[in-house]
Amino acid sequence: MEMTKESFKKEMAVFKAEFKEDLFSVAEKSLTLEKRGNIGILNFDQYQEKANKLSTPNMLRLMELFMTIDEDKTIEALVIISRKPTIFIAGADISEIQRMARGEVTSETLMKLQAVFTYLENLSIPTLAAIHGACMGGGTELALACDYRIASDAPETKIALPEVLLGVLPGWGGTQRMPRLVGLEKSLDLILTGKSLDGKRAKKVGLVDKIAPVESLEQKAVAWAQELAKSKKKRTYETHFKDRLLENVPGGKWVIFDQAKKQVMNQSKGNYPAPLKIIEVIKKTYGGDINNGLKVEAKAFTELVTTPESKALIGIFYLQEKVKKDKGIEGKIAGKEIKRAAVIGAGVMGGGIAQLFSAKGTRVRMKDISWDAVAKGYKAAYKIFRKLLDKKRMKPNELANIMERIEGTVDYSGFKDLDLVVEAVVESLEVKKKIFSELDSIVSSNTVLATNTSSLSITEISKAVKDPKRVVGMHFFNPVDKMPLVEVIRGQETSDEAVATVFQYAKKVGKTPIVVKDAPGFVVNRILGPYLNEAVYLLLEGVSPTRMDQVMEKFGMPMGPIALLDEVGLDVAAKVSHVLHQAFGERMKPPTAIDRVAQEGRLGKKSGKGIYLHSDGKRSEDSELLSKLGIKSSKEISDDEIVKRLTYVMVNEAARILDEGLVREVADIDVGMIFGTGFAPFRGGLLRYADAVGPDSIVSDLDVLARDHGTRFEPCQFLQQLSVENRKFYQN
Amino acid sequence: MKAWIGKTQRNRVVVVSGARTPFAKAGTKLKGCSAVHLGVSAVREAMARAELSTGQVDEVVMGNAGTPADAANIARVISLRAGFSEAVPAYTVHRNCASAMEAVAQGCLKIGAGLAHTIVVGGTESMSNMPLIFGDEMKELFSTLTFAKSNVEKLEKLAQFRPQWLKPVVSIMEGLTDPISGLNMGQTAEILARDFNISRQEQDAFSVKSHQKTVQAQKEGRLSEELAPMVIEPDFDEVLESDFGPRDGQSMESLAKLKPFFDRDNGTVTPGNACPITDGAVALVLMSEEKAKAEGRNILGCISGFTFSGCEPKRMGMGPIYSSASLLDQMEMDFSEMGLVELNEAFAAQVIANQKAWSSDKYAQEKLGRKKALGELRDEILNVNGGAIALGHPVGATGGRLVLTLLNEMKRKHVAKGLATLCIGGGQGAAFVLERN
């Protein structure tokens, strides 16, 4: 679609009639044109906002400026630059995407916005984007529509097309202009993963042409523009043979697309339409007429944006934004800054926590009872850092700097001047209380004392210290370096300051925290408890482990329940199941099989056999075990029933957690499940899924299951009420 | 120089904590640890034991003799890696074998003068990692290849290359050779053995005792107080909790098997009766007495005086007696007041030579300008927990160990005054008097 002056003026009139004129005047203040001799400089500095976004008013303003530039023959080259300190352009306005999702904006409108960048691309003068800071989505597409790009080498500079992470695809020409610039393989990689490239890497793949230090970015961009103005060079796109070997071989392109599709299916089990659509669009349009390509792209975008998967992913994006702003408490108490910390216990969790803290700049005293145990902690930390070094993500001197932050010790020396202690020893109330009472007499009164316990009561542990207000739970998940969730547990006496401190520090070290009141299992383990129990019941009723795991992976779990049991460890699972049983009664009663399997030394992946046999990273069914367990193959259980039995017990338990007021809001449950277990993000979370199914449908299914399989399925009061009142978990 | 005498200073200087890494013979357990890492390990433990926060320290001074190529001012690197803020200044000092002592001296000078209240001092050495140096021909070849403008010039130079140019110069050997006398350290020990008529047997017997005393001290846990165990880099599989070098069961027979190293034909000094090349680090926290008392801190001891003296490079081993005599004179103390002595065991011959000179009026008159001998440097008070022949001598760190180990033993034996003294390659001696209440 071409934008002519007349059609554009019409658009402006429509826009101003539809929306208040104020919006456009804000755009006028945010996007301004400056002339330096024969160079035009388009400055983007969103009025009274931290970030530059490509809202519709901004896009219209850009069009207006491009037309002005086109008519002004004294401008012989154009530089587009942002005046924000760490953001080039953060992308489109997500609320506008949501409006598209509600069907309020059509494919034609999208094509009009595409036309703005096409107009930029077709300007007769050379155009140059000077990029420093975050350059995402639409921002990248704008840069791609320029002839040339120069980026800063600062760490803040990250260039990406992350639309796939919101369940859509780049809709302003990204699927056309990225492959044309960096080649088929690289562009598929970037668009399918949404990953960011820093300045150096972007230059390496050809996404940007030059790098400069941020202090001289503008100066170098303008100087380059002046050269380009003299030579009047517009960009031509050639295939760089050596980078694009595969796609130039006959049949090579089909191999690339085929591989890409296989990878996507493997990782997403076909649950995400966006990556498949992206492959389809690029396959259809690569190397062809760009105007046709843009049309195909726009159509695909409007299809994707209305999918439930996209809505779910955008919902998760907003959840993450909410967590960013959250302090963990009501009120204004700021958490303490953590400069020095200690970890008690250098085992898998303790060592992992020490590694995490040190990686993020905190000095950590890592204490265990013997030097051998301390050595293991160091070794585990070194392994993680070494991987980064080998991937060239870290330099040798950086590794040395970071490792020295971990200070191993077998006594309490160096504990008087700490901001935070995290205890991560065995799950024994007695041992933990002893340690807390020791700490109480050694550390300063300002030190926050946290425990990583997964199954014990924070309130109980806090009784071992004089001032229980400073005791809080900081529950990490295994492996600490990879699992994003931290459950911050508020004991009965825990102060707001302790909660705020740990919550904000968790964010500082890159984790996603939720606040939970002290109760057995907190959120994640409590919800997984009945899920894992149910998986074993199904196993005993004749569902094979492989099938069950396949069904749940298709549902969207990163691994199925039996694989998860083996991963967590049958001994650990058995222990937790007993804690939950004791706390919550009959409905949490674990099948005896879990204990039996654990007692036979089949502890799971860590011992080579659990329910599966594990060797060389592969798992296989153990027919010996299955026959030992005396499985009664009763009637055929459908995939649908498997999913219902496994997921509805989770929903039921989550409802109880809400009813008991253990979390601050419904979304916290979903944050916990997504970031603590990887629960199908494309479903938006456990309770979004429950809402999609409908509480009343869940309640009636649970009633039938209770009748057929036992009281553990009985829907709780909270769920029943939702059903009766025709309400959902989420109110919006 | 005139002696520095604590009680004439503005502030008295005390040691509030100290720690050292285990020492290990070069090329063994600690070869994978850089001098920086050793230094950081010692410094952070000394800080932890003092329960000091890094914000309370005024400066960091570390001794180091063999500067690593990638840590030009090693004290600064150690300081930053040990968690001190960028605002805390740091510098490295070199006085050969007494580099750590020099760091202690620097701390005393500044605290004594009121320029600082708290200074972290010490020393570190990784003799395993001392560089191998290319000889002059190779250096010239590299230079030509890098800087020559024309390819012709480069090719011409390349054509001259001989494989023997690749033979490295072992910098350690260079470092242990005094350029003035042209003698290496062992050769100076041979001179003393001849001067004082010290036999091979005497030297070997001394060495056996040194090992025995060290092993005994290890068994009785007398060394564990100063030690900070280390998890060994780069694999983190092993933990080193005690010094690696002392031999339980060192005997005259096994020593007799060794050949003299520095004089093949007539020598008596062997690798067995000399200190081994060693890796290790030591750190001490020095504070003004006023501040330490105000903060209710545990005080290990007070540094009441020190001096450095010069002597003949050929006979550098006599450095201890020169500096000790000078110091005691200036402090108006008699040697008999010293309840314990740490005199570094660079070579058995050198220690025995000092013992003999100590009680010799003749030596005192001829060399020290004194009428009477210094006194009797009895075995009972000398290096009671072993010495460098067993423990090793990481050049830049040893001085710190002598101070730390002396203070700990003074505490155990309720001794009020002690002397720590070293010979210094190149012809110097260092002497420190330590006191406890």
Side-chain angles (χ1 to χ4, degrees), chain B residues 119-184:
Chain B
I119 299 191
V120 172
V121 300
T124 177
E125 205 72 60
S126 175
M127 298 179 89
S128 298
N129 288 307
M130 278 178 166
L132 294 173
I133 301 177
F134 280 108
D136 287 334
E137 291 103 340
M138 264 328 270
K139 277 193 241 170
E140 241 200 84
L141 174 59
F142 286 139
S143 180
T144 308
L145 290 176
T146 311
F147 295 114
K149 297 273 163 73
S150 73
N151 284 332
V152 175
E153 213 183 315
K154 292 183 191 180
L155 286 171
E156 267 178 9
K157 199 71 192 172
L158 266 175
Q160 294 170 17
F161 173 76
R162 298 262 170 291
Q164 69 226 40
W165 290 5
L166 286 172
K167 181 167 173 219
V169 175
V170 183
S171 67
I172 259 195
M173 296 315 292
E174 297 243 302
L176 293 173
T177 301
D178 166 48
I180 303 302
S181 61
L183 299 176
N184 66 39

Side-chain angles (χ1 to χ4, degrees), chain A residues 308-362:
Chain A
E309 291 84 357
S310 171
K311 290 187 184 137
L313 290 174
I314 292 179
I316 294 176
F317 170 80
Y318 277 117
L319 277 183
Q320 286 175 296
E321 292 294 293
K322 171 189 92 87
V323 172
K324 274 194 204 152
K325 296 201 182 86
D326 194 356
K327 284 201 165 42
I329 49 163
E330 313 307 317
K332 291 216 173 63
I333 297 182
K336 265 188 343 149
E337 199 196 332
I338 306 295
K339 291 196 220 89
R340 271 181 65 89
V343 176
I344 313 281
V348 172
M349 292 307 283
I353 296 170
Q355 184 272 330
L356 175 72
F357 288 2
S358 67
K360 301 296 180 179
T362 310

Side-chain angles (χ1 to χ4, degrees), chain A residues 363 379 401 404 414 416-417, chain B residues 37 48 51 53 81 83 237:
Chain A
R363 283 198 86 81
K379 203 175 164 83
N401 286 346
E404 292 288 13
K416 282 207 169 53
D417 184 35
Chain B
H37 181 56
E51 294 293 349
S53 79
R81 289 231 174 116
D237 283 325

Side-chain angles (χ1 to χ4, degrees), chain A residues 143-162:
Chain A
L144 286 169
C146 294
D147 294 310
Y148 305 97
R149 288 144 293 281
I150 177 171
S152 80
D153 57 10
E156 295 93 340
T157 297
K158 293 190 201 306
I159 307 176
L161 285 172

Side-chain angles (χ1 to χ4, degrees), chain A residues 26 36 100 132 139 167 197 199 220 306 373 415 463 491 561 610 612 633 702 711:
Chain A
V26 166
R36 262 183 234 171
M100 280 201 79
H132 168 71
L197 296 179
K220 289 210 159 81
T306 51
F415 270 66
K463 290 189 178 151
Y612 287 111
S633 271
L702 281 174
T711 57

